[in-house]
Amino acid sequence: MVNNKSKARLILIGVALIFIIPILVSWYLVFFTVFKMGDGGTQKGEIISPVISLGELEVYDIKNDDVSSIKDKWTLVFFVESECNQICEDKLYEVRQIRLALGKDRDKVDRLLVSRKIQSWETFSDSFNGQKYIDPKSKNYAELVKKFNEYPNFDLQGTYLIDPFGFLMMKYKLDANPMGTIKDIERLIKNQK
């Protein structure tokens, strides 16, 4: 039979092991196994490293063709190859919704459409108010396209993120979940402060 003193020691050792074993298991998993090996971090997009400086861009407002700047704002960028078809409209809608989903931080984010063709955006001005665009008539167009093309994994279908300092720093694939983009931008804005 086990006396009361030994029984109390066994209970004390059991309680201590309840706290020590998880710590030892996690230590072992982190340092001696491939647990989370190759995990690219918590971001949902692909980080562009090294970042590409785009400089200050002169862009146009889709509503009234006024020249404006995207300086000091996070900017979601996507490309339109030719006419704005259903895919283009869906992308306009998606980036607008991503920006709106940011709530109080939406004023820190802008949207930029890079059109490879000069076209009229009047039909989209009411639905996508605040949308910016740049096309071949813009003075920065050729330089911007050249810098995007310098990025080895450049994809016309992707969405890109420019930081407030004018650096191309993140890419999202065509099928990327918009919630991941929202979470990334929220985290970046929070850490910017």
Side-chain angles (χ1 to χ4, degrees), residues 28 30 38 51 71 92 118 139 155 161 164 167 175 181 192:
Y28 174 77
V30 169
V51 294
K71 187 179 180 193
L92 282 165
I118 296 174
K139 77 176 190 181
D155 176 15
L161 185 63
F167 292 102
D175 59 349
T181 307
Q192 180 186 14

Side-chain angles (χ1 to χ4, degrees), residues 2-191:
V2 179
N3 65 17
N4 283 344
K5 195 173 186 180
S6 296
K7 189 176 184 182
R9 283 186 185 157
L10 288 174
I11 291 173
L12 181 63
I13 290 171
V15 169
L17 287 175
I18 288 173
F19 294 101
I20 293 172
I21 288 176
I23 293 170
L24 292 174
V25 168
S26 63
W27 175 75
Y28 174 77
L29 287 174
V30 169
F31 293 108
F32 297 105
T33 67
V34 292
F35 181 73
K36 292 190 84 168
M37 206 55 119
D39 186 24
T42 58
Q43 77 279 356
K44 307 300 179 205
E46 176 186 321
I47 293 179
I48 297 173
S49 179
V51 294
I52 298 170
S53 176
L54 300 176
E56 192 167 331
L57 298 174
E58 189 176 276
V59 299
Y60 298 99
D61 191 294
I62 206 167
K63 187 161 183 94
N64 51 23
D65 283 342
D66 285 347
V67 175
S68 61
S69 174
I70 55 171
K71 187 179 180 193
D72 299 328
K73 289 191 176 192
W74 294 93
T75 306
L76 286 165
V77 181
F78 68 98
F79 287 79
V80 175
E81 189 65 35
S82 57
E83 295 296 323
C84 192
N85 55 18
Q86 188 61 44
I87 295 171
C88 167
E89 282 190 59
D90 291 345
K91 201 63 150 170
L92 282 165
Y93 177 78
E94 182 181 301
V95 295
R96 182 188 70 186
Q97 294 305 104
I98 289 171
R99 182 178 170 273
L100 291 175
L102 293 169
K104 64 180 173 55
D105 290 329
R106 73 174 163 249
D107 293 335
K108 297 174 184 167
V109 177
D110 224 331
R111 303 160 294 159
L112 177 63
L113 177 155
V114 180
S115 176
R116 299 228 174 200
K117 180 180 174 188
I118 296 174
Q119 54 188 310
S120 173
W121 296 101
E122 286 179 28
T123 56
F124 304 105
S125 63
D126 290 334
S127 301
F128 303 105
N129 192 19
Q131 174 74 45
K132 308 288 189 292
Y133 75 93
I134 191 168
D135 63 10
K137 73 178 182 225
S138 309
K139 77 176 190 181
N140 304 100
Y141 175 79
E143 183 181 336
L144 177 71
V145 170
K146 180 182 173 220
K147 288 188 178 184
F148 267 94
N149 286 328
E150 287 174 3
Y151 174 53
N153 296 336
F154 175 65
D155 176 15
L156 273 174
Q157 304 294 316
T159 302
Y160 296 86
L161 185 63
I162 300 173
D163 72 8
F165 305 105
F167 292 102
L168 178 62
M169 50 101 43
M170 197 167 260
K171 171 189 170 186
Y172 296 91
K173 294 182 178 168
L174 176 64
D175 59 349
N177 184 348
M179 287 304 296
T181 307
I182 293 165
K183 293 212 179 297
D184 281 352
I185 295 172
E186 284 174 339
R187 193 175 303 114
L188 288 165
I189 289 171
K190 178 182 160 201
N191 290 328

